[in-house]
Amino acid sequence: LYGSSDNWLSIGKALSNNFTVYLVDQRNHGQSPHNELHDYPSMRDDLIEFMDKHELPKATLIGHSMGGKTAVFLSESHPERIDALIVIDIAPTKYEAGAAGMQVETHKMIMDGMLGVDLSRASSREDVDEQLAINIDSSRIRSFLLKNLVRNQDKSFQWKLNVPALRKNLEQILGGLDAKKYQGGEEIAGFPVLFIRGQKSDYISDDDILSIQQIYPMARVTTLPDAGHWLHVEQSALLIKTIRYFL
């Protein structure tokens, strides 16, 4: 969410020494098309379409946050398309409002802050940052969001993100698998599974680990020290090492 394939260039290059790597922008992000619909079944189907187009009958899927949950949904409906599954700092289940695992209000604040920016009044990135700062205190979050800012041919600014669609579908973005479905012996299996969480992140709680093990009985869960939600930025070398060791 709010990211793009560009954020994963260094990790993709590192893994390309041993694998053919595809960096995928999800719908309403990066260079991918915009669509009013933004939910996990749709993003899962986008990924299946991508794999079919590139003649990939199976692949190792690595997804962070919203991308990780998209991979989770694909693993549920198309387990035969997966060689291995690596989910980075996201639980496979739904995040409820007020739950410790996800600051729902923070996402509302971010999206409303972006929607509140009048890009027609901005002549520089600093102008946009100044408007974002009215609602978003964190300079780090603002800097990350500003990576989605691009200039048109007439020098005006626009967001690469489809912010209105993301705000409209926020409840869908916070959705996930129903853990109760897997209480009667149901499970997702047939390939290796690794969940990686940041020590300083609250996106995968200890309770979430119980759900992970219920849905993926053979899954491993590992924690990277001194990292929050953005493991690929804060602990990129250790993340690459962890992925390589697992694969």
Side-chain angles (χ1 to χ4, degrees), residues 110-174:
I110 290 173
M111 292 179 184
D112 290 343
M114 295 179 75
L115 289 170
V117 173
D118 184 356
L119 294 176
S120 66
R121 292 196 299 109
S123 58
S124 68
R125 300 177 73 87
E126 289 72 22
D127 290 342
V128 178
D129 184 51
E130 189 174 311
Q131 291 190 58
L132 282 175
I134 296 172
N135 294 296
I136 303 172
D137 293 333
S138 170
S139 60
R140 184 176 184 182
I141 291 176
R142 296 199 308 272
S143 177
F144 180 62
L145 295 174
L146 286 169
K147 292 181 180 180
N148 289 287
L149 193 67
V150 293
R151 279 193 185 273
N152 298 312
Q153 288 186 340
D154 63 0
K155 302 300 183 181
S156 64
F157 285 110
Q158 74 172 42
W159 295 113
K160 286 192 288 185
L161 293 171
N162 185 355
V163 187
L166 296 176
R167 181 64 177 90
K168 176 183 174 184
N169 292 280
L170 180 56
E171 185 176 347
Q172 301 295 328
I173 294 170
L174 300 175

Short mmCIF file of all heavy atoms in Angstrom, two decimals, residues 110-174:
data_model
loop_
_atom_site.label_atom_id
_atom_site.label_comp_id
_atom_site.label_asym_id
_atom_site.label_seq_id
_atom_site.Cartn_x
_atom_site.Cartn_y
_atom_site.Cartn_z
N ILE A 110 -3.76 9.25 6.38
CA ILE A 110 -2.84 9.36 5.23
C ILE A 110 -3.62 9.62 3.95
O ILE A 110 -3.31 10.55 3.17
CB ILE A 110 -1.99 8.09 5.10
CG1 ILE A 110 -0.97 8.01 6.24
CG2 ILE A 110 -1.28 8.06 3.75
CD1 ILE A 110 -0.20 6.70 6.29
N MET A 111 -4.65 8.81 3.71
CA MET A 111 -5.40 8.94 2.47
C MET A 111 -6.16 10.26 2.42
O MET A 111 -6.18 10.93 1.38
CB MET A 111 -6.36 7.76 2.32
CG MET A 111 -5.65 6.44 2.09
SD MET A 111 -6.82 5.06 1.95
CE MET A 111 -5.67 3.66 1.81
N ASP A 112 -6.78 10.64 3.54
CA ASP A 112 -7.49 11.91 3.56
C ASP A 112 -6.52 13.08 3.39
O ASP A 112 -6.85 14.09 2.76
CB ASP A 112 -8.27 12.06 4.87
CG ASP A 112 -9.46 11.10 4.95
OD1 ASP A 112 -9.87 10.58 3.90
OD2 ASP A 112 -9.97 10.88 6.07
N GLY A 113 -5.31 12.93 3.96
CA GLY A 113 -4.29 13.96 3.78
C GLY A 113 -3.89 14.12 2.33
O GLY A 113 -3.73 15.25 1.82
N MET A 114 -3.74 13.00 1.62
CA MET A 114 -3.38 13.05 0.19
C MET A 114 -4.52 13.64 -0.64
O MET A 114 -4.29 14.44 -1.55
CB MET A 114 -3.03 11.65 -0.31
CG MET A 114 -1.78 11.05 0.32
SD MET A 114 -1.42 9.39 -0.29
CE MET A 114 -0.76 9.76 -1.93
N LEU A 115 -5.76 13.25 -0.30
CA LEU A 115 -6.91 13.79 -1.03
C LEU A 115 -7.08 15.28 -0.78
O LEU A 115 -7.64 16.00 -1.63
CB LEU A 115 -8.18 13.03 -0.62
CG LEU A 115 -8.29 11.58 -1.10
CD1 LEU A 115 -9.47 10.88 -0.44
CD2 LEU A 115 -8.43 11.53 -2.62
N GLY A 116 -6.59 15.75 0.37
CA GLY A 116 -6.73 17.16 0.71
C GLY A 116 -5.71 18.07 0.05
O GLY A 116 -5.83 19.29 0.12
N VAL A 117 -4.72 17.48 -0.60
CA VAL A 117 -3.69 18.29 -1.26
C VAL A 117 -4.25 18.86 -2.57
O VAL A 117 -4.80 18.12 -3.40
CB VAL A 117 -2.43 17.44 -1.56
CG1 VAL A 117 -1.45 18.25 -2.41
CG2 VAL A 117 -1.77 17.00 -0.26
N ASP A 118 -4.13 20.15 -2.75
CA ASP A 118 -4.52 20.81 -4.00
C ASP A 118 -3.28 20.88 -4.89
O ASP A 118 -2.47 21.80 -4.77
CB ASP A 118 -5.08 22.20 -3.71
CG ASP A 118 -5.58 22.89 -4.97
OD1 ASP A 118 -5.44 22.32 -6.07
OD2 ASP A 118 -6.12 24.02 -4.85
N LEU A 119 -3.15 19.90 -5.76
CA LEU A 119 -1.95 19.82 -6.60
C LEU A 119 -1.88 20.97 -7.59
O LEU A 119 -0.78 21.31 -8.07
CB LEU A 119 -1.93 18.47 -7.35
CG LEU A 119 -1.76 17.23 -6.47
CD1 LEU A 119 -1.85 15.96 -7.31
CD2 LEU A 119 -0.41 17.26 -5.74
N SER A 120 -3.01 21.59 -7.90
CA SER A 120 -3.00 22.71 -8.85
C SER A 120 -2.29 23.93 -8.25
O SER A 120 -1.86 24.83 -8.97
CB SER A 120 -4.43 23.09 -9.25
OG SER A 120 -5.15 23.60 -8.15
N ARG A 121 -2.16 23.98 -6.91
CA ARG A 121 -1.49 25.10 -6.24
C ARG A 121 -0.02 24.82 -5.97
O ARG A 121 0.68 25.65 -5.42
CB ARG A 121 -2.18 25.40 -4.90
CG ARG A 121 -3.57 25.97 -5.02
CD ARG A 121 -4.04 26.61 -3.72
NE ARG A 121 -4.11 25.69 -2.59
CZ ARG A 121 -3.27 25.70 -1.57
NH1 ARG A 121 -2.29 26.56 -1.51
NH2 ARG A 121 -3.43 24.85 -0.56
N ALA A 122 0.45 23.64 -6.37
CA ALA A 122 1.83 23.24 -6.06
C ALA A 122 2.74 23.48 -7.27
O ALA A 122 2.45 23.03 -8.38
CB ALA A 122 1.87 21.77 -5.67
N SER A 123 3.83 24.17 -7.02
CA SER A 123 4.82 24.38 -8.08
C SER A 123 6.10 23.59 -7.80
O SER A 123 7.00 23.56 -8.63
CB SER A 123 5.15 25.87 -8.20
OG SER A 123 5.64 26.38 -6.97
N SER A 124 6.18 22.97 -6.62
CA SER A 124 7.35 22.18 -6.26
C SER A 124 6.93 21.05 -5.32
O SER A 124 5.83 21.05 -4.76
CB SER A 124 8.41 23.05 -5.57
OG SER A 124 7.92 23.48 -4.30
N ARG A 125 7.84 20.09 -5.15
CA ARG A 125 7.57 18.98 -4.23
C ARG A 125 7.46 19.50 -2.79
O ARG A 125 6.72 18.95 -1.98
CB ARG A 125 8.68 17.93 -4.34
CG ARG A 125 8.82 17.32 -5.72
CD ARG A 125 9.98 16.32 -5.79
NE ARG A 125 9.64 15.09 -5.09
CZ ARG A 125 9.00 14.07 -5.67
NH1 ARG A 125 8.57 14.16 -6.91
NH2 ARG A 125 8.75 12.97 -4.98
N GLU A 126 8.21 20.57 -2.52
CA GLU A 126 8.16 21.16 -1.19
C GLU A 126 6.76 21.71 -0.90
O GLU A 126 6.28 21.64 0.24
CB GLU A 126 9.21 22.27 -1.06
CG GLU A 126 10.65 21.78 -1.00
CD GLU A 126 11.17 21.26 -2.35
OE1 GLU A 126 10.60 21.66 -3.41
OE2 GLU A 126 12.14 20.47 -2.34
N ASP A 127 6.11 22.27 -1.93
CA ASP A 127 4.75 22.77 -1.76
C ASP A 127 3.79 21.63 -1.38
O ASP A 127 2.93 21.80 -0.51
CB ASP A 127 4.25 23.43 -3.05
CG ASP A 127 4.95 24.74 -3.35
OD1 ASP A 127 5.56 25.32 -2.42
OD2 ASP A 127 4.92 25.18 -4.51
N VAL A 128 3.96 20.49 -2.05
CA VAL A 128 3.10 19.34 -1.77
C VAL A 128 3.39 18.83 -0.35
O VAL A 128 2.46 18.51 0.40
CB VAL A 128 3.32 18.22 -2.80
CG1 VAL A 128 2.46 17.00 -2.47
CG2 VAL A 128 3.01 18.71 -4.21
N ASP A 129 4.67 18.76 0.01
CA ASP A 129 5.04 18.30 1.34
C ASP A 129 4.44 19.21 2.41
O ASP A 129 3.97 18.75 3.46
CB ASP A 129 6.57 18.26 1.47
CG ASP A 129 7.03 17.68 2.80
OD1 ASP A 129 6.56 16.59 3.17
OD2 ASP A 129 7.85 18.33 3.47
N GLU A 130 4.44 20.51 2.15
CA GLU A 130 3.89 21.47 3.10
C GLU A 130 2.40 21.24 3.31
O GLU A 130 1.89 21.32 4.43
CB GLU A 130 4.15 22.88 2.59
CG GLU A 130 3.83 23.97 3.58
CD GLU A 130 4.25 25.33 3.07
OE1 GLU A 130 5.40 25.48 2.61
OE2 GLU A 130 3.40 26.26 3.12
N GLN A 131 1.69 20.91 2.22
CA GLN A 131 0.25 20.65 2.34
C GLN A 131 0.00 19.31 3.06
O GLN A 131 -0.91 19.20 3.87
CB GLN A 131 -0.40 20.62 0.95
CG GLN A 131 -0.46 21.97 0.26
CD GLN A 131 -1.32 21.92 -0.99
OE1 GLN A 131 -2.50 21.57 -0.94
NE2 GLN A 131 -0.71 22.26 -2.13
N LEU A 132 0.82 18.30 2.76
CA LEU A 132 0.67 17.01 3.44
C LEU A 132 0.88 17.14 4.94
O LEU A 132 0.23 16.46 5.74
CB LEU A 132 1.67 16.00 2.87
CG LEU A 132 1.36 15.35 1.52
CD1 LEU A 132 2.53 14.48 1.08
CD2 LEU A 132 0.09 14.51 1.57
N ALA A 133 1.82 18.03 5.31
CA ALA A 133 2.19 18.17 6.72
C ALA A 133 1.03 18.69 7.58
O ALA A 133 1.05 18.55 8.81
CB ALA A 133 3.39 19.11 6.85
N ILE A 134 0.01 19.26 6.95
CA ILE A 134 -1.15 19.74 7.70
C ILE A 134 -1.83 18.58 8.41
O ILE A 134 -2.31 18.72 9.54
CB ILE A 134 -2.15 20.44 6.75
CG1 ILE A 134 -1.50 21.70 6.15
CG2 ILE A 134 -3.43 20.79 7.48
CD1 ILE A 134 -2.34 22.35 5.07
N ASN A 135 -1.85 17.41 7.76
CA ASN A 135 -2.53 16.24 8.33
C ASN A 135 -1.60 15.11 8.72
O ASN A 135 -1.97 14.23 9.51
CB ASN A 135 -3.55 15.69 7.32
CG ASN A 135 -4.69 16.66 7.06
OD1 ASN A 135 -5.47 16.96 7.95
ND2 ASN A 135 -4.77 17.15 5.84
N ILE A 136 -0.37 15.10 8.16
CA ILE A 136 0.55 13.98 8.38
C ILE A 136 1.82 14.52 9.04
O ILE A 136 2.63 15.20 8.39
CB ILE A 136 0.88 13.26 7.06
CG1 ILE A 136 -0.40 12.76 6.40
CG2 ILE A 136 1.85 12.09 7.30
CD1 ILE A 136 -0.20 12.20 5.00
N ASP A 137 2.00 14.23 10.32
CA ASP A 137 3.14 14.77 11.07
C ASP A 137 4.46 14.13 10.66
O ASP A 137 5.49 14.81 10.63
CB ASP A 137 2.92 14.56 12.57
CG ASP A 137 1.77 15.38 13.12
OD1 ASP A 137 1.49 16.45 12.53
OD2 ASP A 137 1.16 14.96 14.11
N SER A 138 4.44 12.84 10.36
CA SER A 138 5.68 12.10 10.13
C SER A 138 6.34 12.49 8.81
O SER A 138 5.77 12.28 7.73
CB SER A 138 5.40 10.59 10.14
OG SER A 138 6.52 9.86 9.71
N SER A 139 7.55 13.04 8.90
CA SER A 139 8.29 13.40 7.69
C SER A 139 8.68 12.15 6.90
O SER A 139 8.79 12.18 5.67
CB SER A 139 9.54 14.20 8.05
OG SER A 139 10.40 13.46 8.89
N ARG A 140 8.86 11.03 7.63
CA ARG A 140 9.22 9.79 6.95
C ARG A 140 8.06 9.28 6.09
O ARG A 140 8.27 8.86 4.95
CB ARG A 140 9.60 8.74 7.99
CG ARG A 140 10.07 7.43 7.39
CD ARG A 140 10.52 6.48 8.46
NE ARG A 140 11.06 5.26 7.91
CZ ARG A 140 11.48 4.25 8.63
NH1 ARG A 140 11.45 4.32 9.95
NH2 ARG A 140 11.94 3.16 8.07
N ILE A 141 6.85 9.32 6.63
CA ILE A 141 5.69 8.91 5.85
C ILE A 141 5.49 9.83 4.66
O ILE A 141 5.23 9.39 3.53
CB ILE A 141 4.42 8.88 6.73
CG1 ILE A 141 4.52 7.75 7.76
CG2 ILE A 141 3.16 8.70 5.87
CD1 ILE A 141 3.34 7.70 8.73
N ARG A 142 5.64 11.13 4.89
CA ARG A 142 5.46 12.09 3.78
C ARG A 142 6.49 11.85 2.69
O ARG A 142 6.17 11.90 1.49
CB ARG A 142 5.56 13.53 4.30
CG ARG A 142 4.47 13.92 5.29
CD ARG A 142 4.34 15.44 5.39
NE ARG A 142 5.60 16.11 5.65
CZ ARG A 142 6.10 16.35 6.85
NH1 ARG A 142 5.43 15.95 7.94
NH2 ARG A 142 7.25 17.00 7.01
N SER A 143 7.73 11.59 3.08
CA SER A 143 8.78 11.32 2.09
C SER A 143 8.46 10.09 1.26
O SER A 143 8.68 10.07 0.04
CB SER A 143 10.12 11.14 2.82
OG SER A 143 11.15 10.82 1.91
N PHE A 144 7.90 9.05 1.92
CA PHE A 144 7.52 7.83 1.22
C PHE A 144 6.38 8.11 0.24
O PHE A 144 6.39 7.68 -0.92
CB PHE A 144 7.12 6.76 2.23
CG PHE A 144 6.71 5.45 1.62
CD1 PHE A 144 7.60 4.70 0.87
CD2 PHE A 144 5.43 4.96 1.82
CE1 PHE A 144 7.22 3.49 0.31
CE2 PHE A 144 5.04 3.75 1.27
CZ PHE A 144 5.94 3.01 0.52
N LEU A 145 5.40 8.89 0.68
CA LEU A 145 4.26 9.21 -0.18
C LEU A 145 4.69 10.05 -1.38
O LEU A 145 4.17 9.88 -2.49
CB LEU A 145 3.19 9.97 0.62
CG LEU A 145 2.51 9.20 1.76
CD1 LEU A 145 1.59 10.13 2.53
CD2 LEU A 145 1.75 7.99 1.24
N LEU A 146 5.64 10.94 -1.17
CA LEU A 146 6.09 11.84 -2.24
C LEU A 146 6.78 11.09 -3.38
O LEU A 146 6.93 11.64 -4.48
CB LEU A 146 7.00 12.92 -1.68
CG LEU A 146 6.30 14.02 -0.87
CD1 LEU A 146 7.31 14.88 -0.13
CD2 LEU A 146 5.41 14.87 -1.77
N LYS A 147 7.18 9.84 -3.14
CA LYS A 147 7.75 9.04 -4.22
C LYS A 147 6.69 8.72 -5.28
O LYS A 147 7.01 8.30 -6.39
CB LYS A 147 8.34 7.74 -3.67
CG LYS A 147 9.57 7.95 -2.80
CD LYS A 147 10.13 6.63 -2.29
CE LYS A 147 11.37 6.85 -1.43
NZ LYS A 147 11.94 5.57 -0.93
N ASN A 148 5.42 8.90 -4.92
CA ASN A 148 4.33 8.67 -5.85
C ASN A 148 3.93 9.92 -6.63
O ASN A 148 2.95 9.90 -7.39
CB ASN A 148 3.10 8.16 -5.09
CG ASN A 148 3.29 6.74 -4.58
OD1 ASN A 148 3.26 5.79 -5.33
ND2 ASN A 148 3.48 6.62 -3.26
N LEU A 149 4.66 10.99 -6.43
CA LEU A 149 4.34 12.26 -7.09
C LEU A 149 5.09 12.37 -8.41
O LEU A 149 6.32 12.20 -8.46
CB LEU A 149 4.72 13.43 -6.17
CG LEU A 149 4.19 14.80 -6.53
CD1 LEU A 149 2.68 14.85 -6.40
CD2 LEU A 149 4.85 15.85 -5.64
N VAL A 150 4.38 12.64 -9.50
CA VAL A 150 5.01 12.77 -10.82
C VAL A 150 4.52 14.05 -11.49
O VAL A 150 3.44 14.56 -11.18
CB VAL A 150 4.70 11.55 -11.73
CG1 VAL A 150 5.37 10.31 -11.18
CG2 VAL A 150 3.20 11.33 -11.87
N ARG A 151 5.33 14.54 -12.42
CA ARG A 151 4.94 15.73 -13.18
C ARG A 151 4.35 15.33 -14.53
O ARG A 151 4.84 14.41 -15.19
CB ARG A 151 6.16 16.64 -13.43
CG ARG A 151 6.52 17.53 -12.25
CD ARG A 151 7.50 18.59 -12.68
NE ARG A 151 7.99 19.41 -11.58
CZ ARG A 151 7.38 20.50 -11.14
NH1 ARG A 151 6.26 20.91 -11.70
NH2 ARG A 151 7.90 21.20 -10.15
N ASN A 152 3.32 16.05 -14.93
CA ASN A 152 2.76 15.87 -16.27
C ASN A 152 3.57 16.70 -17.27
O ASN A 152 4.47 17.45 -16.89
CB ASN A 152 1.29 16.33 -16.29
CG ASN A 152 0.44 15.49 -15.35
OD1 ASN A 152 0.51 14.26 -15.36
ND2 ASN A 152 -0.37 16.16 -14.53
N GLN A 153 3.25 16.55 -18.54
CA GLN A 153 3.97 17.29 -19.56
C GLN A 153 3.82 18.80 -19.39
O GLN A 153 4.72 19.56 -19.76
CB GLN A 153 3.50 16.88 -20.96
CG GLN A 153 3.95 15.48 -21.36
CD GLN A 153 3.59 15.14 -22.79
OE1 GLN A 153 2.71 15.75 -23.38
NE2 GLN A 153 4.28 14.16 -23.36
N ASP A 154 2.69 19.22 -18.83
CA ASP A 154 2.49 20.66 -18.62
C ASP A 154 3.08 21.14 -17.29
O ASP A 154 2.78 22.24 -16.83
CB ASP A 154 1.00 21.00 -18.68
CG ASP A 154 0.20 20.31 -17.57
OD1 ASP A 154 0.81 19.58 -16.76
OD2 ASP A 154 -1.03 20.52 -17.51
N LYS A 155 3.92 20.30 -16.66
CA LYS A 155 4.62 20.60 -15.42
C LYS A 155 3.73 20.52 -14.17
O LYS A 155 4.22 20.77 -13.06
CB LYS A 155 5.30 21.98 -15.47
CG LYS A 155 6.29 22.14 -16.62
CD LYS A 155 7.43 21.13 -16.54
CE LYS A 155 8.45 21.35 -17.66
NZ LYS A 155 9.55 20.36 -17.60
N SER A 156 2.45 20.23 -14.35
CA SER A 156 1.59 20.06 -13.18
C SER A 156 1.88 18.72 -12.52
O SER A 156 2.45 17.81 -13.14
CB SER A 156 0.12 20.13 -13.60
OG SER A 156 -0.20 19.06 -14.47
N PHE A 157 1.47 18.57 -11.26
CA PHE A 157 1.72 17.34 -10.51
C PHE A 157 0.49 16.43 -10.53
O PHE A 157 -0.65 16.91 -10.65
CB PHE A 157 2.06 17.66 -9.05
CG PHE A 157 3.45 18.19 -8.85
CD1 PHE A 157 3.64 19.52 -8.49
CD2 PHE A 157 4.55 17.37 -9.00
CE1 PHE A 157 4.93 20.01 -8.29
CE2 PHE A 157 5.84 17.86 -8.80
CZ PHE A 157 6.03 19.18 -8.44
N GLN A 158 0.74 15.13 -10.39
CA GLN A 158 -0.33 14.18 -10.13
C GLN A 158 0.21 13.02 -9.32
O GLN A 158 1.43 12.77 -9.30
CB GLN A 158 -0.96 13.66 -11.42
CG GLN A 158 -0.11 12.66 -12.20
CD GLN A 158 -0.87 12.05 -13.37
OE1 GLN A 158 -1.59 12.74 -14.08
NE2 GLN A 158 -0.72 10.75 -13.55
N TRP A 159 -0.68 12.31 -8.62
CA TRP A 159 -0.29 11.11 -7.88
C TRP A 159 -0.33 9.91 -8.81
O TRP A 159 -1.28 9.74 -9.59
CB TRP A 159 -1.26 10.86 -6.72
CG TRP A 159 -1.27 11.89 -5.65
CD1 TRP A 159 -2.29 12.75 -5.34
CD2 TRP A 159 -0.21 12.18 -4.71
NE1 TRP A 159 -1.95 13.55 -4.28
CE2 TRP A 159 -0.67 13.23 -3.86
CE3 TRP A 159 1.06 11.66 -4.52
CZ2 TRP A 159 0.10 13.76 -2.84
CZ3 TRP A 159 1.84 12.19 -3.48
CH2 TRP A 159 1.37 13.22 -2.67
N LYS A 160 0.70 9.06 -8.74
CA LYS A 160 0.63 7.79 -9.45
C LYS A 160 -0.40 6.88 -8.81
O LYS A 160 -1.00 6.02 -9.47
CB LYS A 160 2.01 7.09 -9.44
CG LYS A 160 3.03 7.71 -10.37
CD LYS A 160 4.26 6.84 -10.54
CE LYS A 160 5.12 6.82 -9.30
NZ LYS A 160 6.38 6.05 -9.52
N LEU A 161 -0.61 7.03 -7.51
CA LEU A 161 -1.61 6.25 -6.80
C LEU A 161 -3.02 6.71 -7.17
O LEU A 161 -3.25 7.90 -7.36
CB LEU A 161 -1.44 6.42 -5.29
CG LEU A 161 -0.18 5.86 -4.63
CD1 LEU A 161 -0.12 6.35 -3.18
CD2 LEU A 161 -0.18 4.35 -4.67
N ASN A 162 -3.93 5.77 -7.23
CA ASN A 162 -5.35 6.10 -7.39
C ASN A 162 -5.93 6.27 -5.98
O ASN A 162 -6.58 5.37 -5.44
CB ASN A 162 -6.07 4.99 -8.16
CG ASN A 162 -7.52 5.33 -8.46
OD1 ASN A 162 -8.04 6.36 -8.02
ND2 ASN A 162 -8.19 4.47 -9.20
N VAL A 163 -5.67 7.42 -5.39
CA VAL A 163 -6.02 7.64 -3.98
C VAL A 163 -7.52 7.52 -3.73
O VAL A 163 -7.94 6.90 -2.75
CB VAL A 163 -5.47 8.99 -3.48
CG1 VAL A 163 -5.69 9.12 -1.97
CG2 VAL A 163 -3.98 9.12 -3.79
N PRO A 164 -8.39 8.09 -4.57
CA PRO A 164 -9.83 7.96 -4.31
C PRO A 164 -10.29 6.50 -4.23
O PRO A 164 -11.09 6.14 -3.36
CB PRO A 164 -10.48 8.69 -5.49
CG PRO A 164 -9.45 9.68 -5.92
CD PRO A 164 -8.13 8.98 -5.73
N ALA A 165 -9.78 5.65 -5.12
CA ALA A 165 -10.17 4.23 -5.11
C ALA A 165 -9.64 3.53 -3.87
O ALA A 165 -10.34 2.69 -3.28
CB ALA A 165 -9.66 3.54 -6.37
N LEU A 166 -8.43 3.86 -3.44
CA LEU A 166 -7.86 3.25 -2.25
C LEU A 166 -8.66 3.64 -1.01
O LEU A 166 -8.95 2.81 -0.15
CB LEU A 166 -6.39 3.65 -2.08
CG LEU A 166 -5.44 3.19 -3.18
CD1 LEU A 166 -4.03 3.74 -2.93
CD2 LEU A 166 -5.40 1.67 -3.28
N ARG A 167 -9.04 4.92 -0.93
CA ARG A 167 -9.83 5.38 0.23
C ARG A 167 -11.19 4.71 0.25
O ARG A 167 -11.68 4.29 1.31
CB ARG A 167 -9.97 6.90 0.18
CG ARG A 167 -10.76 7.49 1.37
CD ARG A 167 -10.00 7.23 2.66
NE ARG A 167 -10.66 7.83 3.82
CZ ARG A 167 -11.57 7.22 4.56
NH1 ARG A 167 -11.95 5.98 4.24
NH2 ARG A 167 -12.10 7.81 5.61
N LYS A 168 -11.80 4.61 -0.91
CA LYS A 168 -13.13 4.01 -1.02
C LYS A 168 -13.09 2.53 -0.62
O LYS A 168 -14.05 2.00 -0.05
CB LYS A 168 -13.63 4.15 -2.46
CG LYS A 168 -14.97 3.49 -2.73
CD LYS A 168 -15.32 3.62 -4.20
CE LYS A 168 -16.58 2.84 -4.55
NZ LYS A 168 -16.88 2.91 -6.01
N ASN A 169 -11.97 1.85 -0.90
CA ASN A 169 -11.87 0.41 -0.66
C ASN A 169 -11.01 0.07 0.55
O ASN A 169 -10.53 -1.06 0.65
CB ASN A 169 -11.29 -0.27 -1.91
CG ASN A 169 -12.23 -0.24 -3.10
OD1 ASN A 169 -13.15 -1.04 -3.19
ND2 ASN A 169 -12.00 0.70 -4.01
N LEU A 170 -10.82 1.02 1.47
CA LEU A 170 -9.93 0.78 2.60
C LEU A 170 -10.37 -0.45 3.40
O LEU A 170 -9.53 -1.25 3.83
CB LEU A 170 -9.88 2.01 3.51
CG LEU A 170 -8.98 1.89 4.74
CD1 LEU A 170 -7.55 1.52 4.36
CD2 LEU A 170 -9.00 3.19 5.55
N GLU A 171 -11.66 -0.62 3.61
CA GLU A 171 -12.13 -1.77 4.37
C GLU A 171 -11.74 -3.08 3.69
O GLU A 171 -11.38 -4.06 4.34
CB GLU A 171 -13.65 -1.72 4.54
CG GLU A 171 -14.21 -2.82 5.43
CD GLU A 171 -15.70 -2.70 5.68
OE1 GLU A 171 -16.28 -1.63 5.38
OE2 GLU A 171 -16.29 -3.68 6.17
N GLN A 172 -11.78 -3.09 2.34
CA GLN A 172 -11.37 -4.28 1.59
C GLN A 172 -9.87 -4.53 1.75
O GLN A 172 -9.42 -5.67 1.87
CB GLN A 172 -11.71 -4.12 0.11
CG GLN A 172 -13.18 -3.89 -0.19
CD GLN A 172 -14.03 -5.08 0.18
OE1 GLN A 172 -13.59 -6.23 0.11
NE2 GLN A 172 -15.26 -4.82 0.57
N ILE A 173 -9.09 -3.45 1.77
CA ILE A 173 -7.64 -3.56 1.90
C ILE A 173 -7.26 -4.15 3.26
O ILE A 173 -6.28 -4.88 3.39
CB ILE A 173 -6.97 -2.18 1.70
CG1 ILE A 173 -7.18 -1.70 0.26
CG2 ILE A 173 -5.47 -2.23 2.03
CD1 ILE A 173 -6.77 -0.25 0.02
N LEU A 174 -8.07 -3.88 4.27
CA LEU A 174 -7.81 -4.40 5.61
C LEU A 174 -8.36 -5.81 5.80
O LEU A 174 -8.22 -6.39 6.87
CB LEU A 174 -8.43 -3.47 6.67
CG LEU A 174 -7.91 -2.03 6.68
CD1 LEU A 174 -8.68 -1.20 7.69
CD2 LEU A 174 -6.42 -2.00 6.97
#
